PDB file of all heavy atoms in Angstrom:
ATOM      1  N   PRO V  70      -2.522  -5.635 -15.992  1.00 87.00           N
ATOM      2  CA  PRO V  70      -2.360  -7.041 -16.283  1.00 87.00           C
ATOM      3  C   PRO V  70      -1.446  -7.832 -15.197  1.00 87.00           C
ATOM      4  O   PRO V  70      -1.587  -9.002 -15.143  1.00 87.00           O
ATOM      5  CB  PRO V  70      -1.543  -6.986 -17.591  1.00 87.00           C
ATOM      6  CG  PRO V  70      -0.921  -5.639 -17.621  1.00 87.00           C
ATOM      7  CD  PRO V  70      -1.841  -4.772 -16.931  1.00 87.00           C
ATOM      8  N   GLY V  71      -0.635  -6.991 -14.392  1.00 91.00           N
ATOM      9  CA  GLY V  71       0.201  -7.668 -13.461  1.00 91.00           C
ATOM     10  C   GLY V  71      -0.388  -7.787 -12.017  1.00 91.00           C
ATOM     11  O   GLY V  71       0.271  -8.319 -11.025  1.00 91.00           O
ATOM     12  N   LYS V  72      -1.605  -7.456 -11.931  1.00 92.00           N
ATOM     13  CA  LYS V  72      -2.216  -7.483 -10.606  1.00 92.00           C
ATOM     14  C   LYS V  72      -2.350  -8.915 -10.069  1.00 92.00           C
ATOM     15  O   LYS V  72      -2.009  -9.206  -8.937  1.00 92.00           O
ATOM     16  CB  LYS V  72      -3.630  -6.908 -10.741  1.00 92.00           C
ATOM     17  CG  LYS V  72      -4.481  -6.815  -9.377  1.00 92.00           C
ATOM     18  CD  LYS V  72      -5.790  -6.124  -9.530  1.00 92.00           C
ATOM     19  CE  LYS V  72      -6.609  -6.304  -8.331  1.00 92.00           C
ATOM     20  NZ  LYS V  72      -7.994  -5.514  -8.469  1.00 92.00           N
ATOM     21  N   PHE V  73      -2.818  -9.860 -10.869  1.00 93.00           N
ATOM     22  CA  PHE V  73      -2.811 -11.233 -10.580  1.00 93.00           C
ATOM     23  C   PHE V  73      -1.839 -12.088 -11.164  1.00 93.00           C
ATOM     24  O   PHE V  73      -1.558 -12.054 -12.345  1.00 93.00           O
ATOM     25  CB  PHE V  73      -4.274 -11.772 -10.964  1.00 93.00           C
ATOM     26  CG  PHE V  73      -5.467 -11.124 -10.344  1.00 93.00           C
ATOM     27  CD1 PHE V  73      -6.177 -10.323 -11.058  1.00 93.00           C
ATOM     28  CD2 PHE V  73      -5.683 -11.205  -8.979  1.00 93.00           C
ATOM     29  CE1 PHE V  73      -7.256  -9.628 -10.435  1.00 93.00           C
ATOM     30  CE2 PHE V  73      -6.790 -10.660  -8.335  1.00 93.00           C
ATOM     31  CZ  PHE V  73      -7.537  -9.889  -9.111  1.00 93.00           C
ATOM     32  N   ALA V  74      -1.263 -13.011 -10.354  1.00 95.00           N
ATOM     33  CA  ALA V  74      -0.152 -13.995 -10.788  1.00 95.00           C
ATOM     34  C   ALA V  74      -0.718 -14.783 -11.919  1.00 95.00           C
ATOM     35  O   ALA V  74      -0.059 -15.098 -12.906  1.00 95.00           O
ATOM     36  CB  ALA V  74       0.246 -14.810  -9.622  1.00 95.00           C
ATOM     37  N   THR V  75      -2.069 -15.322 -11.752  1.00 93.00           N
ATOM     38  CA  THR V  75      -2.574 -16.248 -12.738  1.00 93.00           C
ATOM     39  C   THR V  75      -2.583 -15.662 -14.195  1.00 93.00           C
ATOM     40  O   THR V  75      -2.525 -16.340 -15.122  1.00 93.00           O
ATOM     41  CB  THR V  75      -3.977 -16.691 -12.315  1.00 93.00           C
ATOM     42  OG1 THR V  75      -4.690 -15.458 -11.829  1.00 93.00           O
ATOM     43  CG2 THR V  75      -3.903 -17.618 -11.210  1.00 93.00           C
ATOM     44  N   ILE V  76      -2.786 -14.342 -14.272  1.00 92.00           N
ATOM     45  CA  ILE V  76      -2.773 -13.790 -15.692  1.00 92.00           C
ATOM     46  C   ILE V  76      -1.543 -12.936 -15.927  1.00 92.00           C
ATOM     47  O   ILE V  76      -1.152 -12.873 -17.019  1.00 92.00           O
ATOM     48  CB  ILE V  76      -3.998 -12.813 -16.023  1.00 92.00           C
ATOM     49  CG1 ILE V  76      -4.233 -11.810 -14.874  1.00 92.00           C
ATOM     50  CG2 ILE V  76      -5.264 -13.659 -16.237  1.00 92.00           C
ATOM     51  CD1 ILE V  76      -5.477 -10.794 -15.360  1.00 92.00           C
ATOM     52  N   GLY V  77      -0.931 -12.362 -14.821  1.00 95.00           N
ATOM     53  CA  GLY V  77       0.397 -11.590 -15.025  1.00 95.00           C
ATOM     54  C   GLY V  77       1.475 -12.364 -15.546  1.00 95.00           C
ATOM     55  O   GLY V  77       2.305 -11.896 -16.424  1.00 95.00           O
ATOM     56  N   VAL V  78       1.762 -13.598 -15.089  1.00 96.00           N
ATOM     57  CA  VAL V  78       2.872 -14.379 -15.512  1.00 96.00           C
ATOM     58  C   VAL V  78       2.690 -14.709 -17.024  1.00 96.00           C
ATOM     59  O   VAL V  78       3.607 -14.469 -17.807  1.00 96.00           O
ATOM     60  CB  VAL V  78       3.048 -15.693 -14.703  1.00 96.00           C
ATOM     61  CG1 VAL V  78       4.145 -16.582 -15.250  1.00 96.00           C
ATOM     62  CG2 VAL V  78       3.504 -15.149 -13.253  1.00 96.00           C
ATOM     63  N   PRO V  79       1.582 -15.320 -17.483  1.00 96.00           N
ATOM     64  CA  PRO V  79       1.429 -15.570 -18.943  1.00 96.00           C
ATOM     65  C   PRO V  79       1.534 -14.310 -19.739  1.00 96.00           C
ATOM     66  O   PRO V  79       2.219 -14.403 -20.879  1.00 96.00           O
ATOM     67  CB  PRO V  79       0.130 -16.231 -19.045  1.00 96.00           C
ATOM     68  CG  PRO V  79      -0.328 -16.563 -17.691  1.00 96.00           C
ATOM     69  CD  PRO V  79       0.472 -15.802 -16.713  1.00 96.00           C
ATOM     70  N   TYR V  80       1.069 -13.172 -19.282  1.00 95.00           N
ATOM     71  CA  TYR V  80       1.093 -11.922 -20.047  1.00 95.00           C
ATOM     72  C   TYR V  80       2.452 -11.577 -20.210  1.00 95.00           C
ATOM     73  O   TYR V  80       2.910 -11.076 -21.280  1.00 95.00           O
ATOM     74  CB  TYR V  80       0.274 -10.886 -19.232  1.00 95.00           C
ATOM     75  CG  TYR V  80      -0.044  -9.564 -19.905  1.00 95.00           C
ATOM     76  CD1 TYR V  80      -1.230  -9.389 -20.587  1.00 95.00           C
ATOM     77  CD2 TYR V  80       1.085  -8.621 -19.974  1.00 95.00           C
ATOM     78  CE1 TYR V  80      -1.390  -8.126 -21.196  1.00 95.00           C
ATOM     79  CE2 TYR V  80       0.779  -7.439 -20.692  1.00 95.00           C
ATOM     80  CZ  TYR V  80      -0.447  -7.211 -21.266  1.00 95.00           C
ATOM     81  OH  TYR V  80      -0.575  -6.001 -21.895  1.00 95.00           O
ATOM     82  N   LEU V  81       3.285 -11.557 -19.168  1.00 97.00           N
ATOM     83  CA  LEU V  81       4.678 -11.135 -19.108  1.00 97.00           C
ATOM     84  C   LEU V  81       5.465 -12.014 -20.191  1.00 97.00           C
ATOM     85  O   LEU V  81       6.238 -11.474 -21.085  1.00 97.00           O
ATOM     86  CB  LEU V  81       5.257 -11.380 -17.730  1.00 97.00           C
ATOM     87  CG  LEU V  81       6.886 -11.204 -17.623  1.00 97.00           C
ATOM     88  CD1 LEU V  81       7.325  -9.777 -17.876  1.00 97.00           C
ATOM     89  CD2 LEU V  81       7.371 -11.674 -16.199  1.00 97.00           C
ATOM     90  N   ILE V  82       5.275 -13.363 -20.125  1.00 97.00           N
ATOM     91  CA  ILE V  82       5.993 -14.178 -21.078  1.00 97.00           C
ATOM     92  C   ILE V  82       5.616 -13.836 -22.649  1.00 97.00           C
ATOM     93  O   ILE V  82       6.417 -13.733 -23.362  1.00 97.00           O
ATOM     94  CB  ILE V  82       5.776 -15.700 -20.781  1.00 97.00           C
ATOM     95  CG1 ILE V  82       6.233 -15.949 -19.281  1.00 97.00           C
ATOM     96  CG2 ILE V  82       6.526 -16.551 -21.748  1.00 97.00           C
ATOM     97  CD1 ILE V  82       7.626 -15.573 -18.949  1.00 97.00           C
ATOM     98  N   ALA V  83       4.214 -13.675 -22.799  1.00 97.00           N
ATOM     99  CA  ALA V  83       3.667 -13.338 -24.112  1.00 97.00           C
ATOM    100  C   ALA V  83       4.314 -12.084 -24.619  1.00 97.00           C
ATOM    101  O   ALA V  83       4.761 -11.945 -25.830  1.00 97.00           O
ATOM    102  CB  ALA V  83       2.243 -13.368 -24.085  1.00 97.00           C
ATOM    103  N   GLU V  84       4.332 -10.991 -23.744  1.00 96.00           N
ATOM    104  CA  GLU V  84       4.947  -9.648 -24.255  1.00 96.00           C
ATOM    105  C   GLU V  84       6.358  -9.891 -24.479  1.00 96.00           C
ATOM    106  O   GLU V  84       6.948  -9.219 -25.470  1.00 96.00           O
ATOM    107  CB  GLU V  84       4.794  -8.749 -23.029  1.00 96.00           C
ATOM    108  CG  GLU V  84       3.352  -8.158 -22.765  1.00 96.00           C
ATOM    109  CD  GLU V  84       2.874  -7.388 -24.037  1.00 96.00           C
ATOM    110  OE1 GLU V  84       3.456  -6.368 -24.299  1.00 96.00           O
ATOM    111  OE2 GLU V  84       1.975  -7.853 -24.748  1.00 96.00           O
ATOM    112  N   MET V  85       7.133 -10.661 -23.828  1.00 97.00           N
ATOM    113  CA  MET V  85       8.551 -10.978 -24.155  1.00 97.00           C
ATOM    114  C   MET V  85       8.688 -11.692 -25.469  1.00 97.00           C
ATOM    115  O   MET V  85       9.603 -11.236 -26.265  1.00 97.00           O
ATOM    116  CB  MET V  85       9.336 -11.623 -23.066  1.00 97.00           C
ATOM    117  CG  MET V  85       9.451 -10.736 -21.923  1.00 97.00           C
ATOM    118  SD  MET V  85      10.407 -11.523 -20.495  1.00 97.00           S
ATOM    119  CE  MET V  85      11.933 -11.790 -21.289  1.00 97.00           C
ATOM    120  N   GLU V  86       7.848 -12.627 -25.799  1.00 97.00           N
ATOM    121  CA  GLU V  86       7.877 -13.275 -27.022  1.00 97.00           C
ATOM    122  C   GLU V  86       7.570 -12.394 -28.124  1.00 97.00           C
ATOM    123  O   GLU V  86       8.120 -12.443 -29.224  1.00 97.00           O
ATOM    124  CB  GLU V  86       6.860 -14.519 -26.982  1.00 97.00           C
ATOM    125  CG  GLU V  86       7.382 -15.668 -26.219  1.00 97.00           C
ATOM    126  CD  GLU V  86       6.429 -16.853 -26.162  1.00 97.00           C
ATOM    127  OE1 GLU V  86       5.217 -16.588 -26.078  1.00 97.00           O
ATOM    128  OE2 GLU V  86       6.865 -17.969 -26.176  1.00 97.00           O
TER     129      GLU V  86
END
Side-chain angles (χ1 to χ4, degrees):
Chain V
K72 180 173 168 180
F73 297 110
T75 44
I76 49 171
V78 171
Y80 189 102
L81 169 68
I82 302 304
E84 285 294 294
M85 288 183 63
E86 284 181 322

